[in-house]
Amino acid sequence: MACHGGFSVGDFRQTFIEREKAVIKIAVVGVAAVLMAMQLKEIKPQFGSYVVFGAGILIFFYAFGKLSEIVEAVEELSGQAAIEEKYLRILLKMLGISYVSEFAASLCRDGGYASVAGQIELFGRLSILLVSMPVVLSLLNLLGRLLR
């Protein structure tokens, strides 16, 4: 198979198939949890919430376990695209903040606490803005140099 930057087409196909299987597994866990929660809601509503919460935690930690693959891919891209590593780290931090805050807000919203969910989302957005400031400042410096 042809090899592009140390990564063959066969490797890509295998990785793609593994990711498809992972998505299907997560979808099955999510749908099964919701179906179980719907059945339990008739018996005791809080049990349904516990099942959905547990499935959410399971999916969250599964996704968190895949973080190393994302970091490796980003590092490979940084080497190929000649992007400074600090900017890619900032991007990863922004993605992490986004994912965690969205997950926590969704759990709160599902539990009936929309106001807490809104506060978590607001804090997540502000955190992303704060983390992205070095990139914004770098872009402003570059624009300033170009305009001189």
Side-chain angles (χ1 to χ4, degrees):
M1 299 267 163
C3 186
H4 304 284
F7 198 70
S8 73
V9 175
D11 290 341
F12 176 77
R13 285 186 185 139
Q14 184 63 30
T15 303
F16 184 75
I17 290 169
E18 288 172 13
R19 289 193 180 122
E20 278 184 333
K21 288 178 183 177
V23 169
I24 291 169
K25 287 177 187 176
I26 293 303
V28 167
V29 167
V31 171
V34 169
L35 291 174
M36 231 182 342
M38 289 170 58
Q39 293 297 318
L40 291 172
K41 188 182 267 190
E42 295 173 11
I43 301 167
K44 268 203 162 174
Q46 67 268 26
F47 289 164
S49 297
Y50 298 152
V51 168
V52 170
F53 182 75
I57 295 292
L58 179 76
I59 292 168
F60 175 79
F61 281 113
Y62 182 81
F64 195 75
K66 297 295 181 181
L67 188 61
S68 64
E69 291 179 29
I70 295 169
V71 170
E72 288 174 14
V74 168
E75 286 174 349
E76 185 174 330
L77 285 174
S78 75
Q80 293 176 359
I83 298 172
E84 288 186 47
E85 190 175 322
K86 69 179 181 180
Y87 296 124
L88 292 173
R89 287 182 193 266
I90 290 170
L91 177 64
L92 285 173
K93 286 179 185 179
M94 291 167 60
L95 288 171
I97 291 168
S98 174
Y99 183 72
V100 170
S101 61
E102 179 64 30
F103 175 75
S106 293
L107 285 178
C108 291
R109 197 170 286 108
D110 288 348
Y113 297 98
S115 62
V116 175
Q119 295 302 314
I120 290 171
E121 289 172 337
L122 176 64
F123 184 76
R125 288 184 193 112
L126 291 174
S127 296
I128 288 171
L129 181 63
L130 182 64
V131 167
S132 69
M133 288 312 286
V135 176
V136 172
L137 293 174
S138 179
L139 284 173
L140 290 175
N141 287 335
L142 178 63
L143 283 174
R145 286 193 305 250
L146 290 173
L147 293 175
R148 289 184 195 154

